[in-house]
Amino acid sequence: MQAPLPISALLSLSFGVHIVLVNLDMAIATFIPLMEWLARKKNDDFLMERAKILMRYYASTYAIAGVFGTAFTVMLLSFYPQFIGLAGHLTWVPFGLAILMIALRFLTIVLYWYLWDRSPPQTHLAVGGLMALSGYLIPFGFRAVFAFLNVPSGLHLEPKPYLDVVEALMNPTFLPLYLKSVFGALAAGSLMMVTVYIIRYESSEGSLKGRYLELVSRFANYGFASLALMMFFGAWYSVSLITTPYKFYNIFGSLIGKPGEIDFGWLFIVKMILVLVQFIVLYQVFRPRELTETQISWAKIGGPVALATVLVGEMLNMHSQLPYFVAQPEVVNSLPEIFKQALLTTNANTLANLPELYMITTVFLIPLLAAVVALFYLLLKER
Amino acid sequence: MDPFGLIQQWFSGYPAGWERLLSMIGIEVHWFILQYVLGLSFLAVVTEAIWLRTRNDDWKRLSRTLAKAFVAVFAVGAATGTASEFGLVLLWPNLTEAAGRYIYFPLYMEIFAFLMEGIFIYMYFYAEDKVSPRTHLIIGILAFVGAWYSGAMILSVNSFMQAPVNVIAHYDPLAGPSSWAPPDVLLFVPAQIAQALDVNKLAAVGAKVISATPEQVTVTLPSGLVRVLMREAFAGKTIGESTLAAVIKPEALQSLSSVSLKTVIDAIVANTVKNAGTFMITFLSKGYLATYVHALGAALTVSAFTLLGGYALRLLKTSKDDRDRGYFLRAIKFAAAVALILIAIQGTGSGHAMGAAVAKYNPEKFAAMEATTTQITSLPGMLGMKQLVEQFMPLLAYGDPNAKLPSYDVITIDYRPPLIIHYLYYTKIGLGVLLGLIGLLAVFYAFRREEWPSWVLWIAVISPAIAQITSFLGWGVREMGRKPWAIYGIMDVQTELTINPPPAWQLMGVALYLSLILVVLVLAVYWFLWRR
């Protein structure tokens, strides 16, 4: 038995948009202060201007990523209120840490953007560093919760249900999941930069062409290193999932001849193909002097493919444990009935699982998604 | 009761003092910012519309400055909103669960409002030179409509918590204080459950059967019983362990004894929600319209006074021959006029409607606001105006000179809100009047004199702080006055609280952190807007 399809689709859509934008933003927030630092060090106006343009894009889209994150949380609350209630009782520390970092993140974005050229360079760079750092600490809290959903380490039921935070952080799936996510985000962001600057390279002339090519090469280097590290931590994460057999066999079972209850091996293969394409793209543009049409074509698809990889990876991680919120059926089934009901995605809120609500959602969401596209178009449009 | 006693009554007289304090600070930090998103976005569009009509570039400049300000605060407002949302989940998970289960619809619809705000606010700011002026104005309208729509959704949930549509307060102002009784809760019990209940035992605990159909039985239950049942349900008790067992027929109790109480309560509440209208229940809350208009008015008023204060500071810091002085004078004239109009509406229109709604639907809170008790000396009493207020207030609240105020001392202790709200309420009224006078003074100098004396400008400079404090006190009275309830008549504070309350130092650490973020934001926006 599975969760109702519209609920699954809505949660996937909101989480998918959120996670792709967040991954991109996490990388960009690292690149911008880095570019500013390099520009100041080399007294490079071109690089400084690129950093500013990137910041303008970033400042205007980060809130959109946040909005979709909120949408996901509220949808989860509406469709699975018992799960959210239970999570609230247990997750003060990991979610609390994420909240503090989110507040810091938004503040540093505002400060960094508005204080550019209005504050001493060192202060501005320090704010930029804080902006980048907060981006790595937000998923630290959220990934701890995701790891808990893999293996409920630290959960104690007596004398009352509570979470031992130290035990929770020792969760075997936490560290590899967190590191894989961080380097995955950096790889996706780097590949996206490669795509953006290759388009600029193509449309520019003279010395500018060379400058854009330098950027392509720089981000290809970052992308290669990040992707390689992501592969390493991804492999570690895969191995760590042995501690949660239900999920492990749902993902890898069909590949090793022991299929799980729901086969997601095909989605894992799709992800690996997408990773392979990223490596090909990076190979094509790694140290270019001049690019051929074929290389340019590869580079243009690098960014979208990298973001698709993030999306596929997250969907794989999310769906391969359903219909359980905690990917260990034996643990879920041993819990008191009140908890068990909260941890099954089949147990959706009957007051919300209504065709009328889905119609309202469609009517409101489609024009707003079109408006998001219009926003991105206007941001990227030349004056 | 001395001032310390009043604070102690509020803090320790109800459960979860530290958690309530953190929630208050977190939500206030969010509201502090949010008012500018609601107010400045509207004022930016108004000034842009004036520019489109007059083509005087001062209006365009003013509009652009306002847009800069609300875009800056919107980002942090979104973050503090997320912090507030997670704070509610983590500190009050049972309330959050109940909200998600029964009154999720406005929260769900707020997703689209938030999306609308996010998209169009940024489009308004960044796409100005990429679209035509008229299109830009339309984008601005969509931006502030998004913010107002968002407010309408969230405030419907808050209104439900203050006065749910199915809770009946008992106070007859013409009969006087002795007519007060605890509120009752109207419930639609599915027939399957109703069959297991013993009607005589139910009547003995104060329940009344209103009507019965083959599908359901409509009853009213005393809020005291509902409060206990909700607490037991969220504590995970079975029917056999719960108070409900006392009103169940013995033959039914045998088979139902091990059934989770939460399952039964859920079936009753879900059926009640369906009867009220799953999508409409919060919008039918008593006093919702007054709440919305008053809160939106507060946001606009705070924004207008902040504009007034900002340009007053600008005028104080520029010389008389400054090239921008004409623009500053035009801006402050606009701000003064808007501030005066808004504070007048707030005081005489929406504020009155809000007060009348509280008197009618939350008599316990109204009694505390008016301090109809021998435990404290009321502010009007201190000022020698007690008799005047006692004569005037019933007429104002109930529209009848023969009406009487509810007595705080008659209310059973379990139902009393903290008395501190009396002082907060009257301080708020006093500050509201002061804002009205400042507005009058500002309009006088803006329209009748060419130059503003510096003392008037200084008064204008402090007016945003007064407006923010007034708004904060308004929410303080509303939310502190909701105690002992989380949802009036249905769920109390103890029930909504997490089973793992964090230590006080962590709660205070988070509160300080959020406050610090607010301070840095204010300084950054000030620096950004005014540094040339």
Side-chain angles (χ1 to χ4, degrees):
Chain A
M1 203 176 169
Q2 289 297 318
L5 187 62
I7 295 179
S8 215
L10 284 172
L11 289 175
S12 300
L13 175 71
S14 54
F15 185 66
V17 175
H18 168 69
I19 205 75
V20 166
L21 289 176
V22 160
N23 270 266
L24 191 56
D25 288 350
M26 197 170 145
I28 290 175
T30 308
F31 299 151
I32 295 167
L34 183 68
M35 286 162 80
E36 188 200 346
W37 178 71
L38 285 169
R40 288 193 190 283
K41 201 171 129 186
K42 297 177 180 175
N43 206 13
D44 186 337
D45 290 342
F46 172 81
L47 202 53
M48 188 65 96
E49 191 54 29
R50 302 286 82 67
K52 279 186 183 172
I53 291 170
L54 206 52
M55 187 62 206
R56 191 177 67 172
Y57 160 81
Y58 175 57
S60 55
T61 57
Y62 188 74
I64 303 293
V67 169
F68 277 96
T70 302
F72 175 69
T73 318
V74 174
M75 283 180 182
L76 208 53
L77 173 69
S78 304
F79 295 123
Y80 299 108
Q82 282 179 281
F83 170 68
I84 292 289
L86 181 61
H89 284 294
L90 299 173
T91 53
W92 164 254
V93 174
F95 273 141
L97 178 70
I99 293 166
L100 297 184
M101 289 307 115
I102 288 171
L104 180 65
R105 175 85 157 167
F106 274 82
L107 181 70
T108 51
I109 291 169
V110 170
L111 291 179
Y112 189 72
W113 176 231
Y114 289 122
L115 299 183
W116 205 316
D117 297 333
R118 288 182 171 85
S119 62
Q122 292 310 316
T123 310
H124 192 248
L125 277 170
V127 173
L130 207 54
M131 176 176 82
L133 180 68
S134 61
Y136 295 96
L137 292 174
I138 296 168
F140 190 84
F142 282 126
R143 286 310 194 193
V145 176
F146 275 66
F148 178 84
L149 299 180
N150 286 334
V151 183
S153 303
L155 176 65
H156 296 269
L157 296 175
E158 297 296 335
K160 61 178 179 181
Y162 73 97
L163 187 71
D164 183 313
V165 178
V166 178
E167 280 180 42
L169 291 177
M170 301 304 285
N171 188 315
T173 65
F174 169 57
L175 201 58
L177 174 61
Y178 172 67
L179 292 171
K180 172 185 96 80
S181 308
V182 166
F183 288 107
L186 287 173
S190 302
L191 266 290
M192 200 64 211
M193 292 297 99
V194 166
T195 298
V196 167
Y197 290 129
I198 210 76
I199 293 169
R200 290 275 182 258
Y201 163 82
E202 218 183 3
S203 62
S204 58
E205 287 173 358
S207 61
L208 269 183
K209 238 177 162 57
R211 296 307 313 269
Y212 281 120
L213 204 55
E214 273 174 38
L215 283 175
V216 168
S217 176
R218 178 180 289 278
F219 282 106
N221 282 323
Y222 296 160
F224 185 80
S226 304
L227 199 60
L229 284 165
M230 188 205 79
M231 286 299 286
F232 171 75
F233 291 116
W236 179 10
Y237 179 57
S238 302
V239 172
S240 77
L241 284 180
I242 289 173
T243 52
T244 176
Y246 178 79
K247 188 168 182 170
F248 182 84
Y249 287 111
N250 278 349
I251 299 173
F252 303 110
S254 59
L255 307 175
I256 56 173
K258 274 179 80 176
E261 284 188 29
I262 319 161
D263 180 19
F264 276 99
W266 63 273
L267 199 54
F268 178 74
I269 291 171
V270 170
K271 187 183 168 181
M272 287 302 104
I273 292 170
L274 292 172
V275 170
L276 183 66
V277 173
Q278 289 184 65
F279 273 117
I280 296 172
V281 169
L282 292 170
Y283 172 76
Q284 294 288 338
V285 295
F286 197 54
R287 288 196 193 286
R289 282 187 194 158
E290 209 165 290
L291 293 174
T292 63
E293 284 297 317
T294 313
Q295 285 173 308
I296 290 172
S297 301
W298 275 106
K300 277 183 184 171
I301 63 163
V305 166
L307 295 181
T309 313
V310 170
L311 182 66
V312 168
E314 294 295 338
M315 290 299 121
L316 180 64
N317 198 43
M318 180 178 171
H319 287 275
S320 59
Q321 66 189 66
L322 298 183
Y324 303 99
F325 277 111
V326 172
Q328 297 200 333
E330 63 286 0
V331 174
V332 173
N333 291 326
S334 70
L335 291 172
E337 191 61 25
I338 195 166
F339 294 146
K340 193 176 152 184
Q341 291 302 316
L343 293 173
L344 287 169
T345 60
T346 47
N347 190 24
N349 185 358
T350 49
L351 291 171
N353 184 19
L354 301 170
E356 298 92 313
L357 189 73
Y358 302 133
M359 281 176 65
I360 292 170
T361 306
T362 311
V363 168
F364 276 79
L365 201 56
I366 289 175
L368 286 169
L369 286 174
V372 171
V373 175
L375 173 67
F376 285 130
Y377 168 75
L378 285 170
L379 285 171
L380 298 172
K381 186 182 164 190
E382 298 285 338
R383 284 175 200 185
Chain B
M1 209 181 284
D2 59 22
F4 181 72
L6 285 169
I7 293 170
Q8 198 178 27
Q9 186 203 20
W10 166 70
F11 191 81
S12 310
Y14 310 91
W18 289 108
E19 285 81 0
R20 282 186 284 122
L21 189 62
L22 173 59
S23 284
M24 188 177 87
I25 292 171
I27 292 171
E28 176 51 28
V29 168
H30 182 51
W31 175 241
F32 181 101
I33 297 166
L34 207 62
Q35 292 174 99
Y36 295 122
V37 180
L38 290 162
L40 293 182
S41 56
F42 175 72
L43 295 177
V45 170
V46 169
T47 46
E48 187 176 18
I50 297 173
W51 171 71
L52 271 176
R53 185 168 275 269
T54 63
R55 292 290 168 177
N56 180 326
D57 285 343
D58 281 355
W59 291 109
K60 184 67 194 167
R61 187 173 168 189
L62 179 57
S63 173
R64 185 72 185 159
T65 302
L66 292 170
K68 274 184 190 174
F70 77 73
V71 167
V73 295
F74 173 74
V76 183
T80 55
T82 306
S84 300
E85 177 198 354
F86 274 96
L88 289 172
V89 172
L90 297 173
L91 294 178
W92 318 107
N94 291 337
L95 174 69
T96 309
E97 180 183 334
R101 171 79 173 117
Y102 308 115
I103 51 168
Y104 72 89
F105 185 69
L107 298 170
Y108 188 90
M109 293 306 289
E110 212 261 342
I111 294 171
F112 309 117
F114 194 19
L115 198 53
M116 194 169 162
E117 273 181 277
I119 296 165
F120 292 109
I121 280 177
Y122 283 111
M123 216 184 259
Y124 186 68
F125 187 69
Y126 286 104
E128 190 174 7
D129 50 358
K130 297 175 183 175
V131 294
S132 72
R134 283 194 185 281
T135 308
H136 190 251
L137 186 71
I138 291 167
I139 291 170
I141 292 169
L142 289 169
F144 86 75
V145 167
W148 287 20
Y149 159 33
S150 173
M153 297 299 111
I154 294 299
L155 287 168
S156 83
V157 177
N158 184 270
S159 292
F160 180 85
M161 291 163 74
Q162 305 286 344
V165 65
N166 64 322
V167 172
I168 306 146
H170 291 300
Y171 179 68
D172 179 356
L174 293 176
S178 61
S179 67
W180 179 86
D184 282 329
V185 184
L186 185 73
L187 294 167
F188 293 82
V189 184
Q192 206 181 353
I193 296 171
Q195 282 164 10
L197 300 173
D198 186 320
V199 176
N200 292 329
K201 286 178 181 170
L202 270 174
V205 294
K208 291 188 193 93
V209 175
I210 308 293
S211 66
T213 66
E215 293 80 34
Q216 63 190 16
V217 178
T218 310
V219 297
T220 58
L221 287 188
S223 53
L225 178 61
V226 174
R227 169 176 13 199
V228 171
L229 290 174
M230 289 299 274
R231 188 180 297 178
E232 291 175 343
F234 277 97
K237 288 194 175 179
T238 61
I239 288 178
E241 297 164 338
S242 77
T243 310
L244 194 66
V247 294
I248 289 187
K249 291 173 184 166
E251 61 273 24
L253 187 58
Q254 272 188 327
S255 57
L256 291 174
S257 187
S258 60
V259 172
S260 155
L261 174 66
K262 201 174 171 188
T263 312
V264 174
I265 296 292
D266 176 65
I268 297 171
V269 179
N271 192 47
T272 304
V273 169
K274 279 182 197 164
N275 273 274
T278 306
F279 295 162
M280 286 305 293
I281 186 163
T282 59
F283 302 105
L284 298 171
S285 307
K286 298 152 181 174
Y288 166 56
L289 193 61
T291 298
Y292 181 57
V293 175
H294 196 49
L296 190 59
L300 287 163
T301 308
V302 165
S303 299
F305 275 99
T306 303
L307 197 60
L308 179 71
Y311 281 99
L313 192 60
R314 216 67 180 115
L315 283 170
L316 278 166
K317 292 200 167 185
T318 50
S319 60
K320 295 213 167 162
D321 53 355
D322 191 292
R323 60 188 157 84
D324 289 329
R325 201 165 173 85
Y327 159 66
F328 296 150
L329 284 167
R330 188 184 295 279
I332 202 170
K333 192 174 182 178
F334 171 76
V338 174
L340 181 63
I341 292 167
L342 287 168
I343 193 67
I345 294 171
Q346 278 295 91
T348 57
S350 65
H352 168 68
M354 191 71 256
V358 171
K360 192 171 178 186
Y361 304 119
N362 298 113
E364 301 84 8
K365 186 193 283 185
F366 190 53
M369 282 161 65
E370 291 302 325
T372 53
T373 176
T374 54
Q375 295 179 40
I376 59 168
T377 308
S378 69
L379 266 178
M382 288 177 195
L383 300 171
M385 298 162 68
K386 191 177 177 188
Q387 236 177 350
L388 182 72
V389 170
E390 275 177 0
Q391 283 174 345
F392 184 59
M393 194 52 79
L395 177 66
L396 203 61
Y398 301 110
D400 190 325
N402 298 315
K404 294 177 188 69
L405 299 180
S407 165
Y408 186 82
D409 294 335
V410 167
I411 296 166
T412 317
I413 289 176
D414 282 3
Y415 294 85
R416 287 180 186 168
L419 276 169
I420 195 169
I421 65 171
H422 165 71
Y423 296 102
L424 302 184
Y425 175 60
Y426 272 89
T427 307
K428 182 196 119 159
I429 301 285
L431 291 177
V433 172
L434 182 61
L435 282 174
L437 294 173
I438 293 173
L440 273 173
L441 192 67
V443 164
F444 174 78
Y445 278 98
F447 288 88
R448 294 277 176 189
R449 295 281 183 274
E450 286 201 357
E451 281 302 325
W452 292 55
S454 62
W455 66 271
V456 177
L457 289 174
W458 277 116
I459 288 174
V461 167
I462 58 163
S463 69
I466 299 171
Q468 279 283 6
I469 293 168
T470 311
S471 176
F472 169 70
L473 290 175
W475 274 107
V477 171
R478 184 173 171 90
E479 292 301 298
M480 291 158 99
R482 183 152 47 93
K483 306 294 154 293
W485 300 103
I487 302 173
Y488 179 64
I490 295 173
M491 182 188 273
D492 63 15
V493 176
Q494 186 60 48
T495 306
E496 65 172 335
L497 181 65
T498 174
I499 55 173
N500 294 303
W505 68 267
Q506 286 182 10
L507 295 166
M508 281 306 90
V510 176
L512 281 173
Y513 178 87
L514 291 174
S515 307
L516 189 66
I517 279 188
L518 181 65
V519 171
V520 176
L521 175 70
V522 169
L523 290 174
V525 172
Y526 172 78
W527 207 13
F528 170 64
L529 288 181
W530 288 160
R531 189 163 167 157
R532 287 195 273 180

